[in-house]
Amino acid sequence: MIIVNPEKCLRCSKCIKDCIVEVLKAGSDGIPFLAPELEKYCLNCQHCLAICPSGALSCHGVTPEMCPAPGKRPAPQEMLNLLQMRRSCRLYKDENLPSDTMTALKNALAWTPTGCNVHNLFFRVIEDKEEMAFFREETSSMLKKLIKTGIMSLIYPRFKRYLAEIMGGKDVVYRNAPHMIIAAVPQKAPCKEADPWIALSYFDLYAQSLGVGTCWCGFAVHAFKWNRKLKKHLRLPPGYRIGAVMLFGAPAVSYARATNPVNFNLEEEK
Ligand SMILES: Cc1cc2nc3c(=O)[nH]c(=O)nc-3n(C[C@H](O)[C@H](O)[C@H](O)COP(=O)(O)O)c2cc1C
């Protein structure tokens, strides 16, 4: 339901023009309303609420006062610095992040975009480094079994160089990270391939802006698919599947410079 305060409404129609699903119409008095027969198409994206210059519009129980005031954006060079200096962190301090940092990281997940604005991602955050021991030990014993049976070399020939290290107990999967976040998605979500990766890409950049080290963990995605015990430990809601996994924690390493830019083959202008 959309509620418009007629005293505050400027009748500027910005909300109507910005509605992706065109469910807002102007009444004879110029005040926008949500056509009842179209309500089912509303994505609840809150663009109408966000764009309203006078804060006249509330949307499905959300009032303008409930939304953060516009903050100063990072300058383009600051944003570019963040992109250039973001590195995969594989060396972590053996400590939990401060709880306020953890809370800030979790709270920021609320602003991840999702396809069709279907916000039904599930995030499992390993907040205590002691819990990582379960994943580490279970994955390590699985990998050791795969190595002993020769299966490992067959399915992951590139791993051959690391077999001795894995057998020796090196944590090549979780890199001794104290924390991990798993983004899971309903099997039936309209954009199930993209949503988890986008969510953790946002998480990644925000974490690195806070000085938190991060690393994508494609290996963990594989491990969870192969090992029931690991997957069960995640306690995903029914019908959900693992999308993306990221390690994070206080970094034990810092970088003196950015890397050399990758030369993508951008199409040249004709
Ligand atoms: C989809 C994806 C999966 C990845 N999986 C892993 C992984 O399992 N373990 C790991 O150490 N790094 C992983 N990475 C990190 C890449 O290896 C890393 O981005 C690359 O080496 C470049 O380093 P940079 O991130 O510091 O620029 C992954 C990256 C992506 C995008």
Side-chain angles (χ1 to χ4, degrees), residues 86-88 90 172-173 175 197 215-220 259:
R86 179 213 59 78
R87 289 276 71 74
S88 295
R90 299 183 185 91
V172 295
V173 174
R175 300 284 171 181
W197 292 96
C215 189
W216 290 105
C217 198
F219 292 152
T259 53

Side-chain angles (χ1 to χ4, degrees), residues 139-165:
T139 306
S140 166
S141 77
M142 176 179 76
L143 291 179
K144 284 176 183 169
K145 266 185 223 152
L146 288 174
I147 292 171
K148 279 184 196 155
T149 52
I151 296 175
M152 188 78 166
S153 305
L154 283 176
I155 49 177
Y156 295 118
R158 284 178 64 185
F159 255 140
K160 259 189 187 153
R161 287 199 304 133
Y162 307 109
L163 300 189
E165 283 182 332

Side-chain angles (χ1 to χ4, degrees), residues 18-21 42-50 59-60 116-117 119:
D18 197 46
C19 178
I20 178 182
V21 284
C42 175
L43 293 183
N44 195 13
C45 66
Q46 301 177 27
H47 269 226
C48 49
L49 177 153
C59 174
H60 304 295
C116 304
N117 205 39
H119 282 277

Side-chain angles (χ1 to χ4, degrees), residues 101-171:
T101 307
M102 186 63 81
T103 304
L105 284 169
K106 287 193 294 180
N107 287 348
L109 291 167
W111 281 278
T112 182
T114 52
C116 304
N117 205 39
V118 177
H119 282 277
N120 51 11
L121 286 167
F122 173 85
F123 297 104
R124 175 93 152 84
V125 184
I126 311 303
E127 295 188 41
D128 185 356
K129 70 187 182 76
E130 304 306 331
E131 198 182 349
M132 286 299 292
F134 169 80
F135 294 101
R136 208 163 274 132
E137 281 156 25
E138 186 55 37
T139 306
S140 166
S141 77
M142 176 179 76
L143 291 179
K144 284 176 183 169
K145 266 185 223 152
L146 288 174
I147 292 171
K148 279 184 196 155
T149 52
I151 296 175
M152 188 78 166
S153 305
L154 283 176
I155 49 177
Y156 295 118
R158 284 178 64 185
F159 255 140
K160 259 189 187 153
R161 287 199 304 133
Y162 307 109
L163 300 189
E165 283 182 332
I166 296 170
M167 290 308 283
K170 183 169 177 182
D171 180 14

Side-chain angles (χ1 to χ4, degrees), residues 197-218:
W197 292 96
I198 291 171
L200 295 195
S201 293
Y202 272 49
F203 179 91
D204 186 17
L205 292 178
Y206 184 52
Q208 298 232 356
S209 82
L210 290 167
V212 173
T214 54
C215 189
W216 290 105
C217 198

